Amino acid sequence: MIFVLLGCQADSATAFRDALASGACAEVADTTLRDRCWVEHLKCTRVEDPREQAECAFREAEATRNPSRCADAGPFAADCRMHLWTASFREWAPKRALPGEVDAIAAEKIAAYGFDVTDPAPWSAWYRWTLGHSRPLDRQLCRPLLPPERAEACLQTALSLYGDFLNVARDQRTYPCDGGPLPPLLQHTPDPELDALRAARTDLCPG
């Protein structure tokens, strides 16, 4: 019996591999593997399992850069929209745009990607992108933004971004543990909150 089972598993794996190459997913007898094959070929209407359908919609949205397909991504819908939204910056955002410079365009894009324009999540992603161009990091760019909720999203994103910069410096061992000047990545305009964040990080100089 064991040899029979192993033989069936081998046959299923072979059929799956062949179908992946040819696209003839309907010939795969195992329903799980057949669904996986349809997902790989983005034939989402052929997929039976609801979770696999959701993943297929995510993949199709990613392949076609069509955020409307994220609506069919089920539990992955929010991640789908955010993934496409952040990926779009390289396509439309001016190089080295700073917070506030093209926020009106960003607001239109946020709505087009299926977000509520008052949702701080897509704004946070946008400000992470724009603040990444600020050298030295300047959180003061956030303060004039309107409405105030958008300014707060920008300020908090800058803190999170600086925390990531500190992680990079720690992992690459570029943090000045000898008390020397900060490397360019960690330099910022006068900002007590960033100073406090850096001072609180006891992991930057591992023994």
Side-chain angles (χ1 to χ4, degrees), residues 139-140 143 152 155-156 158-160 162-163 166 188-201:
R139 291 174 74 233
Q140 301 308 313
R143 299 193 183 279
E152 184 63 21
L155 288 166
Q156 293 304 317
L159 282 174
S160 175
Y162 195 70
L166 289 171
H188 58 82
T189 58
D191 193 315
E193 289 187 81
L194 292 183
D195 290 337
L197 175 62
R198 192 172 61 252
R201 291 289 299 268

XYZ file of all heavy atoms in Angstrom, residues 139-140 143 152 155-156 158-160 162-163 166 188-201:
209
model
N 12.128 66.242 9.573
C 10.723 66.062 9.931
C 9.943 67.366 9.886
O 8.705 67.352 9.864
C 10.602 65.440 11.329
C 11.063 63.993 11.396
C 11.052 63.473 12.826
N 9.718 63.209 13.312
C 9.211 63.695 14.448
N 9.927 64.522 15.202
N 8.000 63.371 14.838
N 10.641 68.487 9.852
C 9.936 69.773 9.792
C 9.159 69.921 8.482
O 8.215 70.718 8.402
C 10.931 70.927 9.931
C 11.730 70.894 11.224
C 10.842 70.764 12.468
O 9.854 71.476 12.599
N 11.210 69.845 13.354
N 5.344 69.328 9.128
C 4.494 70.149 9.989
C 3.515 71.051 9.233
O 2.398 71.258 9.700
C 5.364 70.963 10.946
C 6.202 70.063 11.862
C 6.823 70.796 13.011
N 7.675 69.907 13.804
C 7.228 69.056 14.725
N 5.926 68.988 14.975
N 8.063 68.276 15.397
N 0.485 64.514 10.955
C 0.829 63.550 12.002
C 1.296 62.234 11.409
O 2.253 61.614 11.896
C -0.380 63.317 12.912
C -0.105 62.404 14.095
C 0.934 62.947 15.060
O 1.182 64.173 15.066
O 1.518 62.131 15.809
N 4.862 62.802 10.337
C 5.787 62.873 11.467
C 6.063 61.493 12.052
O 7.214 61.149 12.360
C 5.211 63.790 12.548
C 5.211 65.287 12.235
C 4.309 66.039 13.217
C 6.632 65.847 12.285
N 5.021 60.698 12.222
C 5.189 59.360 12.786
C 5.944 58.452 11.818
O 6.742 57.603 12.232
C 3.830 58.764 13.140
C 3.118 59.471 14.278
C 3.958 59.517 15.545
O 4.593 58.539 15.939
N 3.981 60.679 16.190
N 8.214 59.410 9.761
C 9.622 59.794 9.829
C 10.318 59.126 11.014
O 11.476 58.693 10.903
C 9.747 61.313 9.928
N 9.625 59.027 12.141
C 10.196 58.326 13.293
C 10.454 56.864 12.969
O 11.515 56.310 13.290
C 9.250 58.438 14.495
C 9.240 59.758 15.258
C 8.134 59.746 16.314
C 10.590 60.010 15.930
N 9.471 56.238 12.348
C 9.624 54.827 11.965
C 10.758 54.648 10.969
O 11.555 53.703 11.073
C 8.308 54.315 11.378
O 8.447 52.990 10.904
N 13.376 56.545 10.606
C 14.667 56.731 11.279
C 15.036 55.488 12.089
O 16.212 55.118 12.163
C 14.631 57.958 12.173
C 16.011 58.405 12.606
C 16.885 58.972 11.687
C 16.438 58.263 13.916
C 18.151 59.384 12.061
C 17.707 58.672 14.311
C 18.562 59.224 13.370
O 19.834 59.622 13.756
N 14.029 54.842 12.659
C 14.291 53.586 13.350
C 14.864 52.539 12.409
O 15.773 51.776 12.773
N 18.443 53.330 11.786
C 19.265 52.876 12.914
C 19.524 51.375 12.828
O 20.631 50.910 13.145
C 18.573 53.221 14.234
C 18.537 54.709 14.601
C 17.635 54.935 15.803
C 19.937 55.256 14.880
N 20.307 64.290 10.638
C 18.988 64.895 10.542
C 19.056 66.337 11.037
O 20.010 66.745 11.713
C 17.963 64.108 11.358
C 18.314 63.977 12.814
N 18.055 64.972 13.745
C 18.901 62.957 13.512
C 18.453 64.580 14.936
N 18.985 63.355 14.826
N 18.044 67.108 10.675
C 17.938 68.474 11.179
C 17.620 68.403 12.671
O 17.181 67.358 13.171
C 16.840 69.234 10.432
O 15.599 68.535 10.578
C 17.178 69.371 8.955
N 17.841 69.480 13.440
C 17.589 69.438 14.880
C 16.197 68.897 15.196
O 15.189 69.393 14.685
C 17.731 70.902 15.302
C 18.702 71.465 14.318
C 18.386 70.794 13.009
N 16.171 67.852 16.018
C 14.896 67.174 16.285
C 15.020 66.376 17.583
O 15.624 65.297 17.593
C 14.543 66.241 15.134
C 13.110 65.749 15.183
O 12.663 65.349 16.280
O 12.433 65.764 14.144
N 14.475 66.890 18.696
C 14.596 66.198 19.980
C 14.020 64.780 19.955
O 14.541 63.895 20.657
C 13.813 67.097 20.946
C 13.811 68.445 20.300
C 13.773 68.180 18.832
N 12.971 64.554 19.188
C 12.363 63.217 19.171
C 13.275 62.202 18.503
O 13.369 61.054 18.947
C 11.007 63.271 18.471
C 9.934 63.986 19.283
C 8.566 63.863 18.634
O 7.917 62.824 18.815
O 8.151 64.816 17.951
N 13.956 62.602 17.447
C 14.903 61.686 16.815
C 16.100 61.448 17.717
O 16.622 60.322 17.803
C 15.350 62.235 15.461
C 14.290 62.290 14.363
C 14.893 62.796 13.057
C 13.631 60.930 14.141
N 16.527 62.490 18.415
C 17.626 62.327 19.372
C 17.231 61.342 20.469
O 18.025 60.476 20.866
C 17.996 63.669 19.998
C 18.664 64.615 19.015
O 19.222 64.130 18.013
O 18.612 65.842 19.240
N 15.992 61.472 20.957
C 15.521 60.595 22.025
C 15.395 59.156 21.523
O 15.717 58.207 22.258
C 14.173 61.097 22.546
N 14.926 59.006 20.286
C 14.806 57.666 19.718
C 16.166 57.001 19.624
O 16.337 55.834 20.000
C 14.166 57.750 18.332
C 14.066 56.442 17.546
C 13.198 55.434 18.287
C 13.501 56.704 16.150
N 17.150 57.747 19.169
C 18.502 57.194 19.041
C 19.076 56.864 20.405
O 19.704 55.802 20.589
C 19.384 58.190 18.301
C 20.719 57.618 17.849
C 21.490 58.576 16.945
N 21.792 59.829 17.619
C 21.207 60.994 17.350
N 20.246 61.078 16.440
N 21.548 62.098 17.997
N 18.861 57.731 21.390
C 19.412 57.505 22.728
C 18.785 56.282 23.395
O 19.442 55.619 24.220
C 19.185 58.743 23.591
N 17.550 55.974 23.031
C 16.842 54.850 23.648
C 17.267 53.508 23.069
O 16.943 52.463 23.635
C 15.335 55.026 23.512
N 17.970 53.542 21.957
C 18.371 52.293 21.299
C 19.656 51.743 21.919
O 20.745 52.157 21.572
C 18.535 52.544 19.807
C 17.239 52.826 19.066
C 16.387 51.564 18.952
N 17.079 50.539 18.206
C 16.973 50.371 16.888
N 16.182 51.174 16.174
N 17.625 49.397 16.278
